[in-house]
Amino acid sequence: MAGEVRLEIDGAIATITNDHDDRHNAFDDAMDAQLFDALAELRDHPEVRAVIWRGEGRSFSSGRDVGSIGTLRVEMSHHELMRRGHRGIQQVWDLDAPVIVACKGWVMGGSFQRALLCDLRVAAEGTRFRLPELTHGVIPDTGGMSVLFQMCGHGVVSDLVLTGRVMDAEEALHHGIVSRVVPADRLDDVVREMAEQIVATPAVSVKLARLVVSHLSRPQIRASMDDEMIYQTFVSRSDDAAERRAAQSEDRPPHYTGS
């Protein structure tokens, strides 16, 4: 069954829900478009003062639905596809309302990076974070490396990216990737309480506080995403990428040359 992204508005609080539970809410192209449409629609609702982004079922999102890769129905170059993705998710920065991400189960790949671009992240106990892109022969390309560098420093982000290892919720809390770890059955209640606390504060104060944070962090993140767009496009056309595809089709170990 195809997944979807739902937007519900309840007074001053909006909720975006990833609903593709049979694939741990992995995103395909249709869900990308629905997410970007939901963010665009929120710009037309000034009454919304806080946004919750959550996942239905077991996980927030396991990243990209690998079964959907290459199924885009609109002809686009690799560069154009990445620009669409960057512009789509950067809409979270255009909202006046803070975005709180309810992390649970798997939070992986591009979905992990998208969550990092939001204001707040709360994790349920047992949540697992991972950036597995290098194991698929590509690089993270949604700004996550820049955010993690700001939060954790060179060593941790290099470990996560280069080895693709799993980070648990407690370690994520230690590094400031999430601000709270809560029992799984309390996750939705806690993020709702946080949204209600934000809604109860003066709107102008919330806007200006977020503006201060954005001035500190976003120029570096934007520059990183520009680099990622160039480098990912190069990677997709590299000799190593061709060798990886050939080795998989011929069922043999790859021989990489770094070119």
Side-chain angles (χ1 to χ4, degrees), residues 63-125:
R64 193 70 183 165
D65 184 349
V66 294
S68 75
I69 294 175
T71 62
L72 185 65
R73 296 182 180 179
V74 179
E75 284 296 323
M76 287 180 126
S77 69
H78 188 276
H79 185 77
E80 290 170 331
L81 186 62
M82 286 196 63
R83 286 188 72 190
R84 184 187 75 164
H86 282 183
R87 288 176 173 177
I89 194 57
Q90 284 176 2
Q91 291 180 102
V92 300
W93 295 342
D94 299 329
L95 302 176
D96 288 332
V99 181
I100 309 168
V101 184
C103 302
K104 64 180 178 179
W106 282 111
V107 183
M108 288 179 61
S111 294
F112 180 17
Q113 296 181 75
R114 287 173 174 178
L116 288 167
L117 300 182
C118 297
D119 297 271
L120 293 164
R121 287 154 300 280
V122 178
E125 293 172 347

Side-chain angles (χ1 to χ4, degrees), residues 205-219:
S205 300
V206 173
K207 291 178 185 179
L208 294 180
R210 292 181 73 227
L211 194 59
V212 171
V213 175
S214 74
H215 287 167
L216 293 169
S217 62
R218 288 182 195 165

Side-chain angles (χ1 to χ4, degrees), residues 7-18:
L7 172 64
E8 300 169 276
I9 297 176
D10 178 16
I13 299 175
T15 301
I16 298 172
T17 300
N18 307 330

Side-chain angles (χ1 to χ4, degrees), residues 24-25 58-63 103-108 111 126-130 165-167:
H24 285 273
N25 292 324
R58 298 165 291 174
S59 294
F60 171 70
S61 174
S62 60
C103 302
K104 64 180 178 179
W106 282 111
V107 183
M108 288 179 61
S111 294
T127 302
R128 293 162 292 177
F129 301 86
R130 190 180 179 217
R165 73 171 177 87
V166 175
M167 173 182 282

Side-chain angles (χ1 to χ4, degrees), residues 16-28:
I16 298 172
T17 300
N18 307 330
D19 192 357
H20 196 186
D21 183 36
D22 59 331
R23 290 186 178 269
H24 285 273
N25 292 324
F27 269 70
D28 56 19

